[in-house]
Amino acid sequence: MQTLTQQSSRQTAPLGTRHTNNGVSVRKRNFGDVLFKYTTMSFAAFVLLLVVLMGYEMYAGSSLSLEKFGWEFLTNTTWDPVMEEYGALPFIFGTLVSSFLALVIALPLSIGIAIFLSEIAPQWLEKPLSFLIELLAGIPSIVYGLWGIFVLVPWIRTTIEPFLSEYFEFIPLFRGAPYGFGMLAAGLILSIMVLPIIASISRDVLKAVPQSQREASLAIGATKWESIRIILMDAKSGIFGATLLGLGRAIGETMAVTMVIGNRPVISASLFDPGYTMASVLANEFTEATTSMYLSALIEISFVLFVMTIIINALARLLVWSVTKQTTA
Amino acid sequence: MSTEATYTPSLKFSWRKLWNRVMLGLCLASALAALVPLLLIFFYTISKGAGYLNLDFFLEMPKPVGEEGGGMANAIVGTIILIATGSSIGLPVGILTGVYLAEFGNNKFANLVRFMTDVLSGVPSIVAGVVAYTLVVIPMKHFSALAGGVAMAILMIPTVTRTTEEMVRLVPDSFREAGLALGIPRWKTTIQIVLRTAFRGIVTGVLLAIARIAGETAPLLFTALGNRFWSTDLDQPIASLTVFIYDYAKAPFEDWNNQAWTAALVLIVLISLLSFAVRFVTRSRYNNR
């Protein structure tokens, strides 16, 4: 990867076109070359336009609801298709809480895995283990959802939630009836899904830290763990970027969350209660949107989701890129 | 790591060494913990899905509510048609954009395109579905396989573009120079020499992109919709394995739930085959990178 980005600054042959001898053009511009260049360029322009078009389509599609609700759309807690009143706050809340919960669970594990893969594991173990963890990223969201409904949710209902409410009831997060379906289930399943992303990028970031850092700390008598802590300090902005990429995935994740979160637009302090996310309201209600205002409100939700993921991803890539570039330059 | 020199360890108890052991142990534990859900998911998908896996599943149509048995022939064909539709839009765009970025991509415009490809790869799949809905379903006034294909194409483009660019860049400049030195025009050099050399790599990207969209559900829910009947018409709603899994998982019938597991197993096998194909394609040539 790194060598590739370096190559990007290379001059690729201005041959044929700018080949001049004493100011006299030696070769004519080949018509096929011009055609080829501009054909491929037009496809590149198409990709550029596509992203702009996506943003525009959603902006235009949500004009009705944008006009009627304005900024209040983001802060209103009522979602009532019958009364034609739409506020997206419960969904934004559900998306943020479930994603945050996923990160709280997945981040320490991912960093542990990344350290293990990059610093501790011998070569023969590292390759297959990396493969297995990346396999986790290849499982389709719908299969996670299916597993969530029939395995994870019953387990949460019968084991996790009773346990938490028995010993930790003093924390408001763990109060209420153990339905199984709810924020906790969504957070858990999301944590499994973002784990391979954060772990594999963090591993790459750790591997990009120069070997001399390890040798220097070990040479002054640091234990392995103390040396790892120094490497972690070097890699922290890259790991933060990896976390943001995981967050971007969690926020947009639809099927698995829809199948286990319970789908009720409420804002509740307890993780046992059902919730709703922006992605899952789209999945559930888009085909039911009978009025144009309803549809417009749903498209506005997807617009908000689009903007959120763009900001998060751009930030994440900038961070990961700055770390991996600086160490290999 | 082989950095430890031979030395006589002090036998004195040390908090630092204990802490070292504890933290390294925790790292190992977290690596093992990540394997638990993986094994559980595979275990349940195989044990619950394999029992209902038979020839009927591939050859029969779904039975009406209340009747046991039946298969998902239409969903399997539907998934293939959706992948083909998405590919026929997404692949030319992705590959040609990748070629542009690799061969002519040394300018601000190309950097902007690269950035937009990255943005596109972070867009949630459900948002791609919404866009396909506004672009195709609203003008056509009904759900269709074509709309599903458009949503899938949007999701394919970033993967294909990225891998194509990387693979074309790997072709050494001497190849291009050799072609040009023989008097072959630049465009022919690119197509016949550079792209042929990068062919395996591009195929890898294509397979990866197909593996990604084969498992997508969210963008199909309100574009291709789903269909309990046989349909191969691009203008009509079409069935897909993933939407079937979703509907059958939510259904209150045990027989349908079991079929959902079988469909999930078939889907996982399909995706695994694709990723094995990737390994097979990349093995011989790119092993030493």
Side-chain angles (χ1 to χ4, degrees):
Chain A
M1 279 289 285
Q2 286 77 46
T3 47
L4 292 175
T5 29
Q6 275 185 327
Q7 278 180 9
S8 71
S9 54
R10 144 196 92 174
Q11 270 292 346
T12 20
L15 286 159
T17 49
R18 271 181 247 158
H19 218 116
T20 54
N21 194 358
N22 298 329
V24 181
S25 181
V26 172
R27 222 178 115 176
K28 270 191 305 183
R29 255 174 114 90
N30 184 306
F31 175 70
D33 282 353
V34 179
L35 186 71
F36 183 69
K37 182 177 174 181
Y38 287 101
T39 312
T40 54
M41 193 172 160
S42 65
F43 277 93
F46 176 81
V47 173
L48 197 73
L49 274 178
L50 180 68
V51 180
V52 177
L53 182 72
M54 286 172 79
Y56 173 76
E57 279 290 320
M58 281 182 278
Y59 174 74
S62 56
S63 59
L64 268 180
S65 116
L66 277 171
E67 252 168 53
K68 186 170 172 201
F69 303 110
W71 288 104
E72 265 175 40
F73 186 77
L74 300 177
T75 53
N76 190 350
T77 56
T78 323
W79 181 263
D80 190 345
V82 182
M83 300 300 292
E84 293 269 278
E85 204 190 331
Y86 301 104
L89 193 61
F91 309 115
I92 297 174
F93 173 84
T95 298
L96 292 180
V97 170
S98 59
S99 308
F100 184 70
L101 187 61
L103 287 186
V104 167
I105 302 167
L107 188 59
L109 279 175
S110 307
I111 294 178
I113 295 165
I115 293 173
F116 184 76
L117 289 175
S118 126
E119 311 294 322
I120 305 172
Q123 274 241 309
W124 60 266
L125 186 61
E126 189 207 326
K127 283 238 161 107
L129 204 57
S130 295
F131 171 73
L132 285 176
I133 284 167
E134 273 158 29
L135 211 58
L136 213 49
I139 298 175
S141 167
I142 186 83
V143 177
Y144 277 105
L146 185 70
W147 182 75
I149 288 185
F150 292 107
V151 183
L152 187 67
V153 165
W155 184 59
I156 289 177
R157 181 171 52 228
T158 56
T159 312
I160 302 269
E161 286 181 345
F163 171 81
L164 286 173
S165 61
E166 193 175 333
Y167 294 102
F168 298 97
E169 218 194 345
F170 57 92
I171 307 172
L173 289 176
F174 305 126
R175 280 181 203 155
Y179 294 115
F181 290 95
M183 209 57 104
L184 187 63
L188 268 176
I189 210 140
L190 275 177
S191 72
I192 304 173
M193 299 178 79
V194 298
L195 188 122
I197 299 173
I198 306 180
S200 62
I201 300 173
S202 301
R203 178 201 59 198
D204 293 346
V205 168
L206 286 179
K207 284 197 159 181
V209 176
Q211 192 63 27
S212 53
Q213 292 281 48
R214 298 180 180 85
E215 286 159 3
S217 53
L218 290 173
I220 55 168
T223 62
K224 183 95 189 181
W225 173 248
E226 285 160 346
S227 151
I228 288 170
R229 276 185 51 191
I230 290 165
I231 295 160
L232 280 179
M233 291 307 286
D234 282 353
K236 67 182 174 208
S237 60
I239 292 175
F240 185 61
T243 313
L244 281 182
L245 280 178
L247 181 66
R249 166 100 197 255
I251 281 178
E253 189 44 59
T254 313
M255 299 318 297
V257 174
T258 307
M259 290 162 92
V260 300
I261 202 170
N263 298 327
R264 207 182 301 154
V266 288
I267 295 180
S268 160
S270 171
L271 295 180
F272 293 3
D273 285 339
Y276 221 154
T277 69
M278 291 192 270
S280 40
V281 72
L282 290 172
N284 277 324
E285 301 187 9
F286 214 85
T287 45
E288 296 165 10
T290 39
T291 65
S292 46
M293 180 60 85
Y294 195 178
L295 189 64
S296 171
L298 285 170
I299 295 179
E300 187 173 349
I301 287 185
S302 81
F303 189 46
V304 174
L305 191 57
F306 180 69
V307 172
M308 274 171 82
T309 47
I310 285 182
I311 294 173
I312 291 171
N313 275 296
L315 214 62
R317 276 174 207 283
L318 230 62
L319 281 169
V320 173
W321 178 76
S322 74
V323 173
T324 41
K325 190 188 165 207
Q326 146 202 332
T327 47
T328 47
Chain B
M1 210 145 287
S2 56
T3 39
E4 279 122 313
T6 41
Y7 68 106
T8 350
S10 121
L11 294 172
K12 224 172 62 190
F13 176 78
S14 148
W15 281 110
R16 282 175 57 216
K17 284 181 189 158
L18 179 69
W19 187 238
N20 180 42
R21 286 274 166 95
V22 169
M23 294 314 284
L24 295 188
L26 281 178
C27 291
L28 173 65
S30 51
L32 294 178
L35 298 181
V36 173
L38 181 74
L39 294 177
L40 282 176
I41 289 171
F42 276 123
F43 171 75
Y44 278 99
T45 313
I46 293 169
S47 69
K48 290 200 168 197
Y52 289 77
L53 192 66
N54 49 32
L55 212 56
D56 281 359
F57 183 84
F58 297 96
L59 299 177
E60 294 269 313
M61 295 288 294
K63 288 264 167 68
V65 178
E67 280 181 55
E68 296 257 313
M72 293 194 187
N74 58 339
I76 293 168
V77 172
T79 294
I80 293 169
I81 289 176
L82 282 167
I83 291 175
T85 316
S87 303
S88 58
I89 306 167
L91 293 187
V93 176
I95 292 175
L96 286 172
T97 306
V99 169
Y100 174 79
L101 292 178
E103 294 290 300
F104 310 103
N106 195 16
N107 51 47
K108 278 195 176 146
F109 170 73
N111 281 334
L112 191 63
V113 173
R114 278 191 198 98
F115 177 73
M116 285 303 189
T117 330
D118 279 348
V119 165
L120 202 57
S121 70
V123 167
S125 56
I126 188 119
V127 171
V130 173
V131 171
Y133 182 89
T134 60
L135 282 176
V136 185
V137 177
I138 290 182
M140 283 172 71
K141 296 198 170 60
H142 60 86
F143 300 106
S144 64
L146 181 65
V150 168
M152 288 192 154
I154 295 175
L155 295 171
M156 283 183 101
I157 290 172
T159 319
V160 178
T161 304
R162 273 278 133 172
T163 34
T164 306
E165 184 190 352
E166 283 174 14
M167 292 307 159
V168 172
R169 268 184 194 290
L170 282 180
V171 179
D173 268 349
S174 54
F175 282 41
R176 297 181 179 85
E177 285 153 9
L180 294 170
L182 290 171
I184 307 171
R186 180 92 196 260
W187 66 275
K188 263 194 177 166
T189 312
T190 308
I191 292 174
Q192 294 186 344
I193 300 174
V194 176
L195 283 188
R196 186 169 289 180
T197 316
F199 183 72
R200 279 159 169 266
I202 295 174
V203 169
T204 309
V206 170
L207 289 175
L208 282 175
I210 290 178
R212 178 182 171 189
I213 61 165
E216 286 291 354
T217 320
L220 299 178
L221 289 173
F222 37 82
T223 51
L225 195 68
N227 196 335
R228 292 193 63 78
F229 304 100
W230 182 265
S231 169
T232 53
D233 192 351
L234 282 187
D235 195 38
Q236 291 300 317
I238 200 166
S240 60
L241 273 176
T242 48
V243 174
F244 254 100
I245 298 176
Y246 183 50
D247 290 340
Y248 275 27
K250 290 189 306 178
F253 315 113
E254 213 192 323
D255 186 45
W256 281 20
N257 294 164
N258 290 329
Q259 288 195 32
W261 282 105
T262 309
L265 180 62
V266 171
L267 191 66
I268 285 195
V269 169
L270 180 76
I271 291 173
S272 310
L273 284 180
L274 283 169
S275 47
F276 277 124
V278 170
R279 305 205 134 224
F280 182 74
V281 168
T282 52
R283 192 186 49 191
S284 43
R285 189 162 300 196
Y286 300 103
N287 215 15
N288 300 325
R289 268 215 336 273

